Amino acid sequence: MRTDTGQVFRLEDYRPSDYLIPRTHLTFRLDPTRTIVIAHLTVERRAGVDPYAPLILDGDDLNLKRLELDGIAYTAHEATPERLVLKDLPETAQFQLTIETELEPDRNKALMGLYRSNGVYCTQCEPEGFRRISYFLDRPDILSVYHVRIEAPRAEAPLLLSNGNPVDSGELDNGRHFAEWHDPHPKPSYLFALVAGDLGCLRDSFTTMGGRKVDLGIYVEHGKERLAAYAMDALKRSMRWDEDVFGREYDLDVFNIVAVSDFNMGAMENKGLNIFNDKYVLADEAIATDTDFANIEAIIAHEYFHNWTGNRITCRDWFQLCLKEGLTVFRDHEFSADQRSRGVKRIAEVRTLKALQFPEDQGPLAHPVRPRRYREINNFYTATVYEKGSEVVRMLATILGRETFRAGMDLYFERHDGEACTIEDFLKVFEDVSGRDLSQFALWYNQSGTPNLTIKPSYEAGTLTLEIEQSVPPTPSESRKRLMHIPLAFGLIGSDGRELRWSSAEGGTVDGGVIHVRKRSQKLQFHGIAERPVLSLNRGFSAPVTLAVEQKPEDLIFLARHDSDPFGRWQAFNTLLTEALIAAYRCVLGGKATVFENSIARLAGSIAADDDLGPAYRALAITLPSEADVARDIGKDIDPDAVLVARKALVGSIAGANRDSFHALYQQLHDTGPFSPDAAAAGRRALRNVLLGYLARSVDGADIAASHFTHATNMTDLIAGMGTLAHEHPGSPQARAALADFERRHANMPLAMDKWFQVQATVPGEHALETVRTLMRHPSFSIDNPNRVRSLMGSFSAGNQSGFHRADGAAYLFFAEALMDIDKRNPQLSARLATAFRSWRSLEPIRQEKARQALVSMVKMPGISVDLGDIAERSLA
């Protein structure tokens, strides 16, 4: 584990390596405490490179056992666990290098490189894990063809998998056996994968549009094969969709997925051998919620889509990470939208973006979609790279139009197949197919911060005038901002709910229902409009911006009832709810009673009862903004306790006004048929469970929630019942009984128990910290398992605003101490948890100081990892 101060890497310092490794032959002799890795590398010196230039290979905690050059022991080298430097190399352009290292997979708790999870050997090499296996040029622009031989005791590891296609297997002495794999497609070392162990398999096949039969396998713990059925179905749908929508055909004879229980991320797209966190593979109604099913579908698709956007075309360096991640998130979003409700999916995407990425842009961890510098690349697998990166691709498709965007993607695949590329390469294909200059648009990749649009509308004598002001607030290291190209989709709605037309527009570019905002200020006029329109702005969330619009409450109510754009309709009511919550928050701070307009509760009731709207949409629409959402919109001097009080008051107001109608609809939505994970059934459950949350506020609310829990026939309803009891009636006999019953029934189901920990960690209030302390001593809690740590510590810090941000700072100090313990085992996990401090400066002064002290204590910790130290120091800077 690296605990040095860490080198700062800068985009402008990139230069190609002096050497290439076109072919890599690896032999693994697996053993839990003494695995031998022999790497036979074909090394080429680039043309024009000084023949005396040293070859410097990356390592991380490696033990070098043998080094040969062209078959002869080589001594002109300097070796440390972190680096291997070879000097006095032959003048020939190509030579063979043999490197033997020794690993201890059982000791590897960082879960990077080669490690064991429940007796199964597996690897995680992105971004820089391969250097924990062998010395190598461990960078994305070194593409190599891999041949892998794996040797292991058959009794311990009957299954031996790697990238590519299987080419040979057989028996060895002493009960050992081997398997060999060959991947014909050159790939960077971060895409290398190996899995060995004793696993069950769900098998299927897929015939590509070119007629190739691909053998599919999903490997899981024995006895859990049936739980991979939904993942297999999602995989086959993903493969067909990528052919139909992007023309991308799979290119190997096999495609394998392996599910493991110890994994730092959701999944990894290794070529032909995807390795997954088992929570994104295993599912049935007894262990998985509807959210789990949707996540499995999306993440299976995401990793498969990487086969082209990430594997066949990879990124030149880690600064270009969004080139594979943001682009592939866009592709998996489009897939899920086609599989489910496009409008509902879009609302869910925006909620995630605002919850995760907007605070990132507004705090000390802000960075561009393509960062210009980093100290620890693990810390840039962020919502900005993924979610905002996807939004940038979506804006590109909006600006160009779907047909031109598809033509650009086709050219991208054709021009850059087999290459390691940059954002400039990506944008150039779209400039070439469209003839447009995208230099201003490229700022979305190169400039951090969330742009704000201030819009002042006025209407007179058939002319609508929009005065538009663009600004981008300063962010760390970027005090002066350049103007962005913002595609703002809009609609003008008449009093009858229909779209109004205009005869002409002047003062800016308007194209196909999109205003192209490029200047700091502009006055746009639409002529020939028959009546004063109601403005629907940023339809479909066409740009990741904040809007400040002079708009009357009655206009927002009108939009919430009549906007033809599902996102615009949701956004209008969500804005009304947010404004009501902020007003109530101010009343709480001022010691005044909270009072809400009757129109809010009436509108919530009418939306819930509107059968013309899908149940999934209605569930999203009547779900109040979270405490974190409200805090983000307040912006500064936040008191989380007051936010909680205001939110509870609005829930009570809506619940009280609609008790009878909500109860009748709740009963009507009860599903007595067989379980189905499809979008329609999931939508009905979602609406019913949101209604349960409101009904729990009534006099008999605890009994209603307890009955819901008792009669639940699937995990979605079970969690809704238990969670509602724990959150709305904490400490009640019904809540205690539900938690105990759930634990008794699911004690041997880790994925279900994660949910049990999560529910309790997010119960708000002053007792939250003691609850978390107690749960850390629970026999089922393991600090070595990332899923369990995230379910408890991650849920508490990110999902419990009042509990984590206690005024006395006790939770901050507890959390900092826990992170220091986790950091000794798994620096990547500790660093990601530490991002919970990203918005500490937005708190009121007393909490600010307590949070600052906790961060300082982490920075001063002896032996802190580069990962955690980077997050803590950037948060303080």
Side-chain angles (χ1 to χ4, degrees):
M1 182 197 308
R2 292 178 298 135
T3 57
D4 52 43
T5 56
Q7 176 185 352
V8 175
F9 298 88
R10 294 177 174 82
L11 175 59
E12 60 266 26
D13 294 336
Y14 171 83
R15 60 181 292 271
S17 64
D18 289 338
Y19 293 88
L20 300 172
I21 306 176
R23 289 183 295 281
T24 299
H25 191 297
L26 299 171
T27 297
F28 287 81
R29 294 173 184 155
L30 296 175
D31 181 270
T33 59
R34 189 175 178 272
T35 288
I36 299 298
V37 181
I38 303 171
H40 295 286
L41 310 179
T42 298
V43 182
E44 289 183 357
R45 186 182 293 107
R46 286 187 189 270
V49 170
D50 186 339
Y52 296 104
L55 172 60
I56 303 174
L57 301 178
D58 302 302
D60 186 356
D61 199 26
L62 288 180
N63 179 12
L64 178 65
K65 306 299 289 185
R66 177 165 60 103
L67 179 63
E68 294 178 354
L69 194 149
D70 289 335
I72 300 172
Y74 189 70
T75 58
H77 70 273
E78 298 174 3
T80 69
E82 281 71 43
R83 197 166 75 155
L84 178 61
V85 181
L86 291 85
K87 304 175 180 178
D88 301 329
L89 295 168
E91 295 185 11
T92 56
Q94 185 180 99
F95 53 89
Q96 305 298 314
L97 196 62
T98 301
I99 304 172
E100 181 177 324
T101 53
E102 184 178 288
L103 313 177
E104 296 183 59
D106 264 357
R107 189 176 64 89
N108 184 359
K109 302 303 181 184
L111 310 184
M112 290 291 289
L114 176 68
Y115 66 96
R116 291 219 304 167
S117 172
N118 286 340
V120 176
Y121 295 90
C122 61
T123 58
Q124 172 57 32
C125 293
E126 185 180 356
E128 295 176 339
F130 190 82
R131 65 187 63 186
R132 295 174 64 87
I133 295 172
S134 180
Y135 293 102
F136 203 78
L137 289 173
D138 190 16
R139 44 189 285 174
D141 58 349
I142 300 298
L143 307 183
S144 189
V145 173
Y146 283 72
H147 188 101
V148 180
R149 178 184 173 95
I150 311 169
E151 302 175 5
R154 179 176 285 278
E156 176 188 274
L159 175 71
L160 306 174
L161 300 176
S162 191
N163 308 88
N165 296 318
V167 293
D168 197 9
S169 62
E171 301 301 318
L172 300 170
D173 294 337
N174 301 318
R176 295 176 69 84
H177 71 134
F178 76 92
E180 295 188 7
W181 294 78
H182 176 70
D183 186 354
H185 302 283
K187 64 175 179 285
S189 54
Y190 82 82
L191 289 173
F192 168 77
L194 176 152
V195 172
D198 188 5
L199 295 169
C201 184
L202 178 65
R203 301 185 187 277
D204 208 328
S205 64
F206 179 83
T207 302
T208 70
M209 61 184 182
R212 178 202 297 263
K213 182 183 177 183
V214 180
D215 292 326
L216 308 177
I218 300 183
Y219 293 87
V220 298
E221 293 177 8
H222 287 290
K224 296 183 178 179
E225 292 88 348
R226 67 175 186 82
L227 298 178
Y230 188 78
M232 181 65 81
D233 178 65
L235 173 60
K236 294 173 72 173
R237 285 186 280 121
S238 303
M239 298 176 81
R240 183 63 66 204
W241 184 89
D242 211 17
E243 291 181 344
D244 293 343
V245 177
F246 282 93
R248 297 300 98 199
E249 183 177 2
Y250 187 63
D251 50 11
L252 291 170
D253 298 331
V254 300
F255 185 86
N256 290 318
I257 291 173
V258 178
V260 297
S261 56
D262 299 297
F263 206 66
N264 279 337
M265 297 184 285
M268 180 61 209
E269 70 267 19
N270 319 293
K271 182 72 178 178
L273 178 57
N274 287 185
I275 300 178
F276 271 65
N277 188 320
D278 61 3
K279 71 179 292 185
Y280 297 118
V281 171
L282 305 176
D284 70 1
E285 64 270 28
I287 66 168
T289 64
D290 290 326
T291 298
D292 292 328
F293 278 102
N295 286 338
I296 287 170
E297 179 181 79
I299 295 172
I300 289 282
H302 179 94
E303 305 308 330
Y304 174 75
F305 297 155
H306 266 312
N307 189 62
W308 277 92
T309 50
N311 297 3
R312 285 286 286 263
I313 305 177
T314 193
C315 48
R316 185 195 71 179
D317 52 69
W318 290 122
F319 296 102
Q320 321 295 328
L321 180 60
C322 63
L323 183 59
K324 74 182 188 74
E325 294 301 349
L327 176 56
T328 305
V329 170
F330 168 76
R331 279 158 42 77
D332 83 56
H333 281 177
E334 286 295 288
F335 167 76
S336 294
D338 284 345
Q339 303 297 303
R340 295 170 178 263
S341 163
R342 181 165 288 271
V344 169
K345 183 67 173 67
R346 188 62 185 141
I347 294 167
E349 290 163 7
V350 175
R351 290 182 66 191
T352 298
L353 182 82
K354 288 187 173 183
L356 300 179
Q357 197 281 320
F358 275 30
E360 202 165 81
D361 253 351
Q362 295 165 3
L365 301 181
H367 62 86
V369 173
R370 177 172 65 179
R372 291 187 294 276
R373 63 187 64 85
Y374 65 81
R375 185 175 140 201
E376 175 50 66
I377 188 56
N378 277 315
N379 291 338
F380 282 87
Y381 284 73
T382 63
T384 297
V385 167
Y386 281 71
E387 274 69 35
K388 189 173 180 179
S390 170
E391 294 299 316
V392 175
V393 177
R394 184 176 298 278
M395 283 190 289
L396 186 60
T398 298
I399 289 169
L400 299 179
R402 289 287 166 164
E403 290 185 7
T404 304
F405 177 77
R406 170 62 193 270
M409 288 300 302
D410 288 345
L411 181 57
Y412 178 64
F413 294 130
E414 176 187 343
R415 180 181 289 176
H416 296 294
D417 186 12
E419 296 182 2
C421 294
T422 65
I423 294 300
E424 286 74 18
D425 296 324
F426 179 66
L427 291 178
K428 183 65 166 60
V429 299
F430 294 101
E431 289 184 327
D432 289 348
V433 298
S434 68
R436 291 175 182 252
D437 178 2
L438 295 175
S439 56
Q440 186 182 17
F441 178 79
L443 289 173
W444 282 103
Y445 284 106
N446 299 319
Q447 183 169 267
S448 62
T450 302
N452 180 68
L453 293 180
T454 300
I455 301 177
K456 296 180 180 179
S458 59
Y459 176 80
E460 185 176 358
T463 296
L464 171 69
T465 301
L466 300 181
E467 296 181 50
I468 304 174
E469 295 279 344
Q470 175 189 164
S471 62
V472 186
T475 54
S477 76
E478 288 183 5
S479 57
R480 300 183 64 182
K481 301 289 186 176
R482 298 170 64 187
L483 298 173
M484 312 285 272
H485 178 182
I486 301 173
L488 186 68
F490 74 105
L492 309 179
I493 306 176
S495 57
D496 60 358
R498 297 181 181 181
E499 302 284 328
L500 293 174
R501 298 181 180 274
W502 61 90
S503 58
S504 63
E506 60 179 324
T509 303
V510 181
D511 181 20
V514 176
I515 300 169
H516 293 269
V517 180
R518 294 188 179 93
K519 300 178 181 179
R520 186 174 306 281
S521 62
Q522 62 187 90
K523 182 181 288 187
L524 190 62
Q525 291 187 315
F526 296 89
H527 303 292
I529 301 176
E531 61 176 296
R532 174 190 171 276
V534 176
L535 276 174
S536 173
L537 293 170
N538 208 19
R539 285 184 150 182
F541 204 68
S542 59
V545 300
T546 58
L547 289 178
V549 186
E550 291 187 358
Q551 208 159 19
K552 301 175 182 178
E554 50 265 36
D555 284 346
L556 290 172
I557 293 172
F558 180 86
L559 288 171
R561 294 183 183 276
H562 300 293
D563 198 339
S564 60
D565 175 60
F567 174 80
R569 192 168 184 170
W570 171 83
Q571 181 64 61
F573 188 44
N574 193 257
T575 299
L576 287 167
L577 292 171
T578 301
E579 291 175 352
L581 285 167
I582 292 175
Y585 165 80
R586 289 172 179 150
C587 287
V588 173
L589 287 181
K592 300 177 182 178
T594 56
V595 180
F596 301 99
E597 294 289 337
N598 293 333
S599 58
I600 296 285
R602 287 198 302 269
L603 187 52
S606 66
I607 291 172
D610 191 345
D611 288 334
D612 291 333
L613 301 172
Y617 174 87
R618 287 184 270 166
L620 283 173
I622 66 171
T623 298
L624 265 60
S626 70
E627 294 160 52
D629 291 333
V630 178
R632 182 188 66 245
D633 284 340
I634 293 170
K636 62 180 181 179
D637 291 330
I638 297 161
D639 180 340
D641 292 334
V643 174
L644 176 64
V645 171
R647 192 175 185 279
K648 283 183 172 292
L650 182 53
V651 170
S653 174
I654 294 173
N658 295 283
R659 201 280 178 191
D660 292 341
S661 61
F662 278 6
H663 191 270
L665 183 56
Y666 170 83
Q667 299 281 42
Q668 178 187 328
L669 289 165
H670 181 56
D671 194 348
T672 58
F675 176 85
S676 172
D678 66 81
R684 291 193 298 273
R685 283 189 291 272
L687 179 55
R688 189 168 190 260
N689 288 330
V690 170
L691 293 171
L692 173 66
Y694 284 108
L695 294 174
R697 301 302 301 277
S698 57
V699 174
D700 57 347
D703 292 334
I704 294 173
S707 176
H708 188 98
F709 175 84
T710 301
H711 294 95
T713 58
N714 57 78
M715 182 57 75
T716 301
D717 290 340
L718 202 65
I719 287 294
M722 181 176 69
T724 300
L725 284 168
H727 283 243
E728 297 298 334
H729 301 278
S732 67
Q734 297 94 325
R736 292 197 300 270
L739 288 166
D741 183 50
F742 189 98
E743 181 185 13
R744 177 183 57 79
R745 291 159 59 183
H746 300 91
N748 296 320
M749 301 178 185
L751 296 180
M753 285 299 291
D754 284 340
K755 298 173 175 60
W756 184 80
F757 279 96
Q758 181 179 15
V759 162
Q760 295 177 84
T762 53
V763 175
E766 61 181 13
H767 300 297
L769 177 57
E770 186 54 40
T771 297
V772 173
R773 287 186 188 275
T774 301
L775 289 172
M776 285 189 73
R777 298 190 293 269
H778 191 279
S780 294
F781 182 77
S782 170
I783 203 165
D784 290 328
N785 180 260
N787 282 356
R788 189 52 45 85
V789 172
R790 284 187 288 257
S791 72
L792 181 60
M793 304 299 294
S795 298
F796 173 61
S797 59
N800 193 335
Q801 295 291 299
S802 61
F804 181 62
H805 297 293
R806 282 172 52 137
D808 62 4
Y812 298 145
L813 292 177
F814 158 77
F815 190 63
E817 291 171 0
L819 289 183
M820 294 172 191
D821 189 22
I822 295 166
D823 194 51
K824 298 171 186 175
R825 299 167 170 81
N826 192 328
Q828 191 176 132
L829 179 60
S830 65
R832 292 190 180 183
L833 290 170
T835 61
F837 284 106
R838 67 190 170 201
S839 300
W840 68 274
R841 282 192 174 87
S842 66
L843 297 165
E844 51 79 23
I846 294 176
R847 287 177 170 87
Q848 272 194 46
E849 177 57 23
K850 300 294 186 181
R852 189 194 66 81
Q853 291 172 6
L855 284 165
V856 169
S857 73
M858 285 193 288
V859 169
K860 292 181 177 179
M861 179 181 72
I864 187 173
S865 70
V866 175
D867 307 59
L868 180 57
D870 175 54
I871 293 294
E873 289 177 15
R874 286 165 55 208
S875 297
L876 283 168

